[in-house]
Amino acid sequence: MGSDTQFPERMTRISFASVLPSGPERPCLVVIAGAELGQTADLNRDQVELGREDHCGLVINSDLVSRHHATVLRIEGRHAIRDENSTNGTFVNDERVKGTVPLSDGDQIRIGRTVIKYTKSPLEVGYLEHVMGLATHDALTGVFNKRRFDDAFPTEVSRAAGGKRPLVLGLLDIDFFKRINDTHGHSAGDEVLRELSKVAKGCLSDTDLLARVGGEEFALLLAEPLADAREKAERLRSAVEGHSFKWDGQQIPVTVSVGIAELTSGEAPEALYERADALLYESKHGGRNRVSG
């Protein structure tokens, strides 16, 4: 791994006035640049580890980041950061960390290509979470957007491959969605998308990723074996079929077709996506309202 000296092209720069409304402090780390954009870690423990390992309080899956890259410590009520002999170093406001360095409100920590802001203001934390939410979530449905999926998908593939853990990609498409729009109007179609997202989230766990990646197409990332993912996808399909979708007093029948594929050894994200997409095609052309994979 080579030394990393450049900031990523996509970076959210947010500055606040030095004086903010008073209130209880909420020391927190917020990722403001990098693939984990928007991820947060509350500093409510004596130490929070940063790195690639799953046990870290802030997990950053990048080859430029060491397994246990750095640690944020709470010492006599204040926070400091210590580099853990990482390959590429830890930087605070562009200064390389040597030993243990105290943190001040607003400091920016860089490890690899990831930039993390240290803040103690609950107002700023809330604002940052709101801004990051706008950047990563679909405005209509509230689920993750395509941008967030495109960032997360290769990261999760790499993480699953490195830890030799299962990962399943599911692609879900609303059957005859154009017919819904043509018959009931686009406002009805929007309502179907919103309601379907709620139904889908009700079938998933907090660790599952659901994203809207097209007009009526959604993607699922499930860190579990294929058999469990298939059962979950079938439960979702059944829940959508049984849900009462209504618009302007009229019942709208809604079903979904799903294709799911499990990551194989050495498989690239693009290849996994193509397999899931082919299985979605199989579901739609096999009669719709079914799960293939």
Side-chain angles (χ1 to χ4, degrees), residues 11 46 134 166 203 223:
M11 176 170 178
D46 287 339
L134 293 176
C203 299

Side-chain angles (χ1 to χ4, degrees), residues 20-37:
L20 293 169
S22 61
E25 289 186 348
R26 182 191 165 187
C28 187
L29 300 175
V30 184
V31 177
I32 61 173
E36 283 77 15
L37 180 69

Side-chain angles (χ1 to χ4, degrees), residues 174-195:
I174 301 176
D175 297 326
F176 301 114
F177 187 69
K178 184 177 184 301
R179 183 186 299 174
I180 294 173
N181 281 330
D182 290 346
T183 303
H184 302 278
H186 287 275
S187 294
D190 288 349
E191 181 62 20
V192 166
L193 288 166
R194 281 190 290 264
E195 278 295 302

Side-chain angles (χ1 to χ4, degrees), residues 213-286:
V213 295
E216 68 272 21
E217 186 170 311
F218 295 78
L220 302 168
L221 283 177
L222 311 172
E224 56 194 25
L226 183 60
D228 295 340
R230 186 184 294 115
E231 182 179 328
K232 185 176 289 183
E234 178 57 35
R235 187 162 64 246
L236 189 160
R237 182 209 62 77
S238 178
V240 171
E241 183 182 27
H243 185 75
S244 178
F245 292 87
K246 290 184 178 179
W247 179 257
D248 199 22
Q250 296 185 44
Q251 192 82 17
I252 302 176
V254 177
T255 61
V256 294
S257 298
V258 187
I260 58 172
E262 185 173 15
L263 181 69
T264 60
S265 178
E267 187 172 31
E270 296 80 6
L272 176 59
Y273 195 97
E274 287 176 4
R275 287 201 298 117
D277 194 46
L279 287 162
L280 172 61
Y281 183 89
E282 181 180 307
S283 290
K284 295 188 77 69
H285 289 266

Side-chain angles (χ1 to χ4, degrees), residues 16 19-24 26 119-129:
F16 269 67
V19 179
L20 293 169
S22 61
R26 182 191 165 187
T119 179
K120 297 190 288 185
S121 164
L123 175 65
E124 183 167 11
V125 172
Y127 179 75
L128 287 169
E129 288 178 336

Side-chain angles (χ1 to χ4, degrees), residues 185-208:
H186 287 275
S187 294
D190 288 349
E191 181 62 20
V192 166
L193 288 166
R194 281 190 290 264
E195 278 295 302
L196 184 140
S197 298
K198 292 177 185 177
V199 172
K201 285 193 289 187
C203 299
L204 303 172
S205 70
D206 292 339
T207 58
D208 299 330

Side-chain angles (χ1 to χ4, degrees), residues 32 39 41 47 88 113 115-116 122 136 150 154-155 178 181 218 229 246 260 263-264 291:
I32 61 173
Q39 187 173 332
Q47 62 180 50
N88 292 317
R113 291 196 177 94
V115 181
I116 305 157
T136 58
D150 287 345
T155 297
K178 184 177 184 301
N181 281 330
F218 295 78
K246 290 184 178 179
I260 58 172
L263 181 69
T264 60
V291 176

